[in-house]
Amino acid sequence: MDQEMHQQSSLSPGYSWQDSSVKSVVEGPEKPTKRAPVACFLPKAIFLERLSTDFESVGVFLLLSILSVSARFTPCLIERYGGGAKATEYFIAKATGLVPHEMYKSSLDRTQALFLLAIADWGNGNKNRSSTHMGLAIAMAGILCLHREETYQLPPNATPDQVVDSEMARRTFWMIESQTNLHSGHSTPFPFAFSDMTAQLPCEESDFAFGVVPHERAVLAGTEAAAAHPNLVSTPSRSLFASLIQSHNLWGQVARRACRSERELDGVTPKPWEVSSEFSQLSNALRDWEQNLPIKHQWSIRNLRGYKAESLDLAYLATVMVLRLSNIVLRRIYLPDIMAAASENPQPSLAPQGFWESMSESLFQNVHGLYEQIDAYLPLRSREEGFPPIIVFCAYICGSLASYLWKTPHLCMHLSQSAKLIYQRCLDALTDLQHAWPMALRWQEALRKAAVQNEEPPSVPISSMRFPEQILNNDNEIDPALSSAIQTHFHPATAPLQKPPPLRNDLETLEAEDKMVGIDQNGNVYQQDGSADLSTSDGIGQLPLDMFEAELTAFLQGEVPADIWGNWDWQ
């Protein structure tokens, strides 16, 4: 490994290790890496040992950046600074002050520090500064050639410490790549060209901890490494970390597509029922990847408990939740077409018969599956534990679609009975999570407003006329075994559509039973008046169906779309 890569940050000008708050965390039981799940590139046992025995050997910049992420979850710092938000702001300010002194010296720990600082900024609502710091981390990783497999070559007689150092560098690169995928949009540039990426994926946690070279590594589909070793893309021996990277890569593809205004390209791009369409290709890719997942990486309560015992539950959840989210968002952009097809008087459509009904079934099945994961996670989580911010959006999108199903149960009749419960539980989840990330408070308020839905007609669907003779030529959506059952969930065009009770009445009753509690960005608890007017400034409580692109883009950029929900003071 290049010596430059392991050059550590020095005691930079303007900062001293005499800060008692830092010393109290390091010397106490509340270790910083325990509260920072995104710092999984660090060998925790070795790193904590260094903190205990050789404190000043740890780079100042790196430790401050770790604390920028973990402070909001650390009780002693929350108490010292008067709240999680204030503790976070303190360490972000300290770390940011060192950026001008650290950004011109490429090293692994500086790359890690810039990455963590970008995560802290994003979670704190400062998307512009987050993008800048992430850009610096990407540039530094490129200078260190972390995207190339030859960077990690070891001598035949490599020591366990050398193996650990090599794996730490590999994990740093893949965490940067993974995070940029999580926040991808149609205008987001790729940090590294796949044609240049020869780096293979991380190993198992036990191999990392013991400094063992794995017999085999997985690779990421589409990269130069996959072109050289295609059989390693779906190898059953791949690590959980490898599956997480692959899951987030698929999400990046979905998010980039979902943020594009396909309706502006209507007539140019293939329709979703065509084999050559991006929808068909991505849907198949998600299905095939899930079917080839190792059993231990598939969703189950038992697996969650097992990974919880190994302190890997957050990595596991970030893998399985993002998979469900990808399937949901891929279909959510067609909700106007789904609702138009299920309306009392559906318009003629080019889509094959039963296509939109099948997509609706798949959409809400995935919503139900995501809710199951959220509902299983919350009882196992302590309030002091960190969590991936993507969970916030998972809870929001799950609750938002449940509110649609609550109001229009004929979209998926056999799942509609649980829609109200799913909505409320997702609202409760965001209420529980908002103490940790400021953006969770905004999305919690947005979800409360999402329940108040006016009779907004759906946007114009992409299909304009029906062609009954056309049939699906792939097995992407229509399952012949389910086709007859799916038809029963949609009202026939000739049957009168029974209007469900107004959602506002249900919501007022629900809020009367359980008054909402909120937490502001300074960590202060306040009561939310359930009788308050929940309508937005434009009189529309539910996001218009054609505003989903703005809704998704807002999350990817670390904000709530102010042009939809009003002029909130949000950085």
Side-chain angles (χ1 to χ4, degrees):
M1 301 287 288
D2 194 287
Q3 186 175 0
E4 181 188 39
M5 184 181 296
H6 297 290
Q7 179 186 0
Q8 292 183 356
S9 304
S10 60
L11 287 177
S12 303
Y15 193 80
S16 168
W17 271 130
Q18 301 305 312
D19 192 313
S20 58
S21 63
V22 175
K23 300 279 270 187
S24 65
V25 176
V26 172
E27 295 173 355
E30 298 164 349
K31 302 302 183 185
T33 55
K34 180 181 178 182
R35 312 290 182 185
V38 292
C40 60
F41 45 69
L42 293 174
K44 293 185 181 179
I46 297 174
F47 184 77
L48 294 177
E49 182 181 340
R50 284 179 58 199
L51 285 178
S52 300
T53 60
D54 193 10
F55 177 66
E56 294 191 1
S57 71
V58 179
V60 180
F61 188 32
L62 175 58
L63 187 52
L64 287 176
S65 296
I66 292 173
L67 290 169
S68 296
V69 176
S70 62
R72 64 177 76 249
F73 305 111
T74 308
C76 68
L77 295 179
I78 294 173
E79 181 179 358
R80 180 184 180 90
Y81 292 101
K86 291 181 179 179
T88 298
E89 290 167 2
Y90 174 84
F91 287 105
I92 286 179
K94 288 290 186 182
T96 302
L98 297 184
V99 171
H101 305 287
E102 304 288 350
M103 62 185 288
Y104 297 111
K105 304 172 185 177
S106 300
S107 66
L108 184 61
D109 77 318
R110 290 185 179 93
T111 305
Q112 294 166 341
L114 287 165
F115 165 76
L116 291 171
L117 187 55
I119 300 301
D121 284 328
W122 189 88
N124 217 37
N126 196 328
K127 67 179 186 300
N128 292 328
R129 196 165 64 188
S130 173
S131 297
T132 300
H133 290 151
M134 186 64 77
L136 290 171
I138 291 170
M140 203 169 284
I143 292 172
L144 297 174
C145 293
L146 298 185
H147 60 298
R148 303 295 297 180
E149 184 62 28
E150 55 265 29
T151 303
Y152 309 105
Q153 287 183 353
L154 293 167
N157 58 345
T159 66
D161 285 345
Q162 289 176 312
V163 174
V164 168
D165 287 345
S166 176
E167 179 67 17
M168 178 170 58
R170 185 189 300 272
R171 286 169 173 245
T172 301
F173 168 73
W174 284 114
M175 281 302 298
I176 293 173
E177 175 69 18
S178 173
Q179 199 66 30
T180 53
N181 274 316
L182 278 181
H183 301 152
S184 294
H186 72 284
S187 60
T188 305
F190 288 95
F192 296 92
F194 273 22
S195 59
D196 292 334
M197 289 170 56
T198 58
Q200 298 182 354
L201 294 173
C203 65
E204 290 284 4
E205 301 304 310
S206 58
D207 290 340
F208 184 32
F210 287 100
V212 176
V213 178
H215 297 295
E216 185 178 72
R217 290 182 182 273
V219 296
L220 182 63
T223 63
E224 186 65 22
H229 307 284
N231 59 309
L232 296 181
V233 173
S234 300
T235 175
S237 64
R238 65 185 180 269
S239 65
L240 177 63
F241 201 158
S243 289
L244 181 144
I245 300 300
Q246 292 175 338
S247 175
H248 289 186
N249 174 257
L250 287 167
W251 161 253
Q253 296 178 49
V254 170
R256 282 185 169 93
R257 179 190 179 279
C259 288
R260 285 197 299 230
S261 299
E262 189 173 18
R263 284 164 177 74
E264 295 178 3
L265 304 175
D266 196 18
V268 177
T269 58
K271 304 306 182 190
W273 52 84
E274 297 178 8
V275 179
S276 59
S277 69
E278 284 186 296
F279 170 82
S280 178
Q281 294 173 359
L282 280 174
S283 181
N284 287 334
L286 288 166
R287 181 199 60 200
D288 294 344
W289 185 81
E290 183 171 11
Q291 289 177 349
N292 288 306
L293 267 178
I295 294 177
K296 289 204 303 183
H297 300 176
Q298 298 173 14
W299 165 250
S300 72
I301 299 293
R302 182 180 296 276
N303 283 347
L304 176 60
R305 291 178 183 139
Y307 284 117
K308 179 73 174 177
E310 297 179 358
S311 299
L312 295 174
D313 51 315
L314 293 181
Y316 172 65
L317 285 167
T319 302
V320 296
M321 281 188 176
V322 167
L323 174 61
R324 292 275 72 78
L325 182 65
S326 298
N327 278 283
I328 290 169
V329 169
L330 186 63
R331 293 161 175 82
R332 167 60 179 83
I333 59 177
Y334 295 106
L335 188 58
D337 302 279
I338 292 172
M339 298 189 74
S343 65
E344 184 175 356
N345 297 301
Q347 297 296 315
S349 172
L350 281 170
Q353 187 173 4
F355 177 81
W356 297 119
E357 292 91 330
S358 180
M359 185 182 286
S360 179
E361 173 81 9
S362 182
L363 171 64
F364 290 106
Q365 284 282 9
N366 278 284
V367 169
H368 195 274
L370 181 59
Y371 164 71
E372 181 185 354
Q373 296 170 358
I374 295 171
D375 196 49
Y377 161 67
L378 289 178
L380 299 178
R381 175 186 176 269
S382 68
R383 195 172 180 83
E384 292 77 24
E385 284 183 337
F387 62 89
I390 191 69
I391 291 179
V392 172
F393 190 61
C394 286
Y396 174 81
I397 198 69
C398 186
S400 176
L401 283 166
S403 73
Y404 274 107
L405 190 58
W406 183 7
K407 181 182 184 297
T408 52
H410 60 278
L411 292 177
C412 190
M413 287 298 296
H414 70 288
L415 294 177
S416 63
Q417 294 181 352
S418 59
K420 180 177 179 180
L421 172 64
I422 292 175
Y423 165 78
Q424 180 59 52
R425 288 291 290 138
C426 289
L427 192 63
D428 292 343
L430 290 176
T431 303
D432 180 63
L433 297 175
Q434 63 178 277
H435 79 282
W437 294 106
M439 69 171 183
L441 169 63
R442 302 299 188 177
W443 288 95
Q444 188 260 10
E445 292 180 7
L447 185 56
R448 290 182 67 236
K449 294 178 180 181
V452 188
Q453 183 176 359
N454 289 341
E455 289 300 319
E456 175 93 3
S459 307
V460 178
I462 65 171
S463 308
S464 59
M465 61 181 293
R466 179 174 293 279
F467 186 44
E469 293 78 17
Q470 186 174 5
I471 61 173
L472 280 180
N473 49 10
N474 67 352
D475 60 354
N476 187 41
E477 286 297 326
I478 297 294
D479 183 346
L482 295 176
S483 58
S484 60
I486 292 172
Q487 295 292 337
T488 63
H489 302 318
F490 276 62
H491 292 282
T494 57
L497 180 63
Q498 296 298 320
K499 200 173 186 178
L503 190 54
R504 177 180 289 273
N505 294 337
D506 288 341
L507 183 61
E508 290 174 348
T509 303
L510 188 152
E511 289 182 339
E513 298 171 355
D514 184 14
K515 197 170 186 180
M516 302 301 300
V517 176
I519 303 175
D520 63 23
Q521 293 193 40
N522 293 322
N524 301 314
V525 179
Y526 63 90
Q527 296 292 330
Q528 296 177 343
D529 186 2
S531 62
D533 182 13
L534 300 180
S535 61
T536 58
S537 58
D538 59 6
I540 301 175
Q542 177 75 359
L543 270 172
L545 291 176
D546 56 359
M547 293 305 291
F548 177 65
E549 290 177 12
E551 184 181 28
L552 177 59
T553 300
F555 171 76
L556 297 174
Q557 295 181 353
E559 62 181 10
V560 172
D563 57 328
I564 297 176
W565 294 122
N567 297 318
W568 288 352
D569 183 15
W570 192 240
Q571 295 177 320

